Amino acid sequence: MTNDKPPPAITAVDVAPRTKASNYPEPFFSRMARREKRALGDFFGLKNFGVNLTKIAPGGESALMHTHSRQDEMVYVLEGEAVLATPSGETRLGPGDCAGFPAGGEAHHILNRTDRDLLILEIGDRPEGDEGSYPQDDIQAVMGADGKWRFARKDGTPY
């Protein structure tokens, strides 16, 4: 008899990284080559919110600059130095710093402009019908009923 339940506690880096660096279509997919996500929430079978342990190599970014229509997000810096970039400007974040992004709030993403890896926790809820807006790029996203993102250009043409 096999036990399909995850253990009650683990060392986070023991969770295997996602096999695919991003769900974005090209030309955006390759921009995510310097990040590695470990889906901790998925590992534990969490349904209402997600938690990712994300490593961003020098020159990398967490995501395209974006905002969500329904999802609240939070980022906590564990190691390294991050730049939180928004349309309003940039803020430096170090270990112990965090930032929160309510649904419909200002667009954002995290950049690593240093020569060391950056390690962050990304936390967000998983509301149905969420949409992603990307002010700097010709892309939009809608969460499908199957829980997968559907990407299109801003004119609605699918990728």
Side-chain angles (χ1 to χ4, degrees):
M1 176 182 227
T2 62
N3 183 358
D4 292 336
K5 289 184 181 181
I10 56 156
T11 300
V13 296
D14 289 344
V15 172
R18 288 185 178 167
T19 56
K20 188 176 173 186
S22 173
N23 291 324
Y24 294 136
E26 285 294 2
F28 311 108
F29 178 87
S30 56
R31 286 177 49 186
M32 300 302 118
R34 294 184 175 164
R35 76 172 191 197
E36 178 183 82
K37 290 184 181 256
R38 297 172 190 273
L40 304 180
D42 290 350
F43 177 84
F44 287 109
L46 303 182
K47 303 288 185 222
N48 296 318
F49 67 96
V51 180
N52 294 317
L53 178 64
T54 302
K55 180 172 72 173
I56 304 171
E61 58 190 305
S62 62
L64 301 176
M65 184 176 286
H66 69 285
T67 189
H68 288 273
S69 63
R70 296 187 176 180
Q71 182 186 69
D72 290 334
E73 295 179 280
M74 184 174 171
V75 173
Y76 182 86
V77 178
L78 296 166
E79 297 175 7
E81 290 189 26
V83 173
L84 166 61
T86 69
S88 299
E90 296 184 350
T91 304
R92 290 212 174 278
L93 302 173
D97 291 337
C98 59
F101 314 101
E106 189 168 37
H108 57 276
H109 66 160
I110 302 293
L111 308 171
N112 182 354
R113 293 189 179 144
T114 73
D115 60 357
R116 296 181 34 215
D117 286 345
L118 169 65
L119 193 62
I120 61 174
L121 278 179
E122 300 171 310
I123 304 158
D125 62 342
R126 297 177 172 179
E128 289 185 31
D130 188 29
E131 296 181 8
S133 299
Y134 303 84
Q136 295 180 332
D137 297 291
D138 186 17
I139 188 171
Q140 60 183 340
V142 175
M143 180 67 71
D146 60 359
K148 296 183 180 187
W149 288 105
R150 305 287 189 265
F151 295 98
R153 291 173 180 82
K154 289 182 180 173
D155 69 4
T157 308
Y159 274 98

